Amino acid sequence: MIVGVDLTITGTLGMCALPLGWDLEWRRVHVEAWTPAEPTRGLRLRQAGERVADFARRHDARAVYTEMIPTHAFNATKLALVAGAVFAEVSRCLGLEVVDVPISTARMLCFGAVPKGAKKGDYHAQLLRMGAPAWWGPDERDAFVIANWGANESGGCSIAMPPPPQGAA
């Protein structure tokens, strides 16, 4: 099982457990969302790490992937703290290294071309057209895209769209 995680510091943290042999059967994909309720950042960070480690343990994860923190993001430092808490807790509890993936690269694998100016909602609509459950929220959908990358890297079943031909508009 591959686990993908969409990180957050104040919003909803999305998690996706993707079986390596899911064979594009969406019913076999498990997602969960968690919104921190703790008032202090330290407690939210600890809980985020615990929540991801618990999700990965419940789904017998063999690998955990998160989105790479973009250096240009206005909240990059805060997201890096969440990533650190997740990395530390998953390593401590499960002995797994967490791999971070550039979300744009994961999207290119899943959707092929990534049009300039495309918004998250554009990708989410594409996932729905591919058959993803409509009840998944945006955080679960992003977690799926990250888990899909991990499944591809691990030799499992994944959605891998070819890039457009060179010179195509």
Side-chain angles (χ1 to χ4, degrees):
M1 191 75 72
I2 301 296
V3 168
V5 181
D6 179 48
L7 300 170
T8 186
I9 185 64
T10 56
T12 301
L13 185 136
M15 297 168 281
C16 174
L18 186 62
L20 286 173
W22 72 290
D23 297 328
L24 307 179
E25 294 179 36
W26 293 96
R27 64 181 171 72
R28 298 183 61 202
V29 180
H30 304 277
V31 297
E32 190 173 300
W34 173 73
T35 303
E38 288 297 331
T40 64
R41 183 168 56 180
L43 289 174
R44 285 193 306 269
L45 291 171
R46 187 183 82 213
Q47 284 186 337
E50 290 170 349
R51 186 60 77 126
V52 171
D54 179 62
F55 181 82
R57 181 178 38 255
R58 284 186 283 123
H59 293 284
D60 197 24
R62 68 180 264 181
V64 178
Y65 292 80
T66 67
E67 63 183 305
M68 185 177 285
I69 308 304
T71 56
H72 62 277
F74 75 94
N75 58 352
T77 302
K78 292 177 182 177
L79 282 173
L81 289 170
V82 177
V86 167
F87 282 40
E89 194 66 9
V90 167
S91 176
R92 184 183 75 78
C93 293
L94 305 173
L96 297 174
E97 288 293 318
V98 177
V99 178
D100 56 343
V101 177
I103 190 68
S104 60
T105 304
R107 286 180 179 142
M108 280 197 325
L109 173 71
C110 197
F111 306 115
V114 177
K116 190 172 182 115
K119 305 282 188 251
K120 276 177 119 176
D122 299 332
Y123 300 114
H124 296 169
Q126 277 188 272
L127 269 182
L128 291 173
R129 286 191 297 273
M130 291 176 177
W135 62 266
W136 287 8
D139 305 295
E140 293 98 321
R141 292 176 193 150
D142 282 346
F144 169 82
V145 170
I146 295 162
N148 184 69
W149 169 268
N152 186 271
E153 288 292 296
S154 301
C157 178
S158 64
I159 298 172
M161 302 298 283
Q166 290 291 343

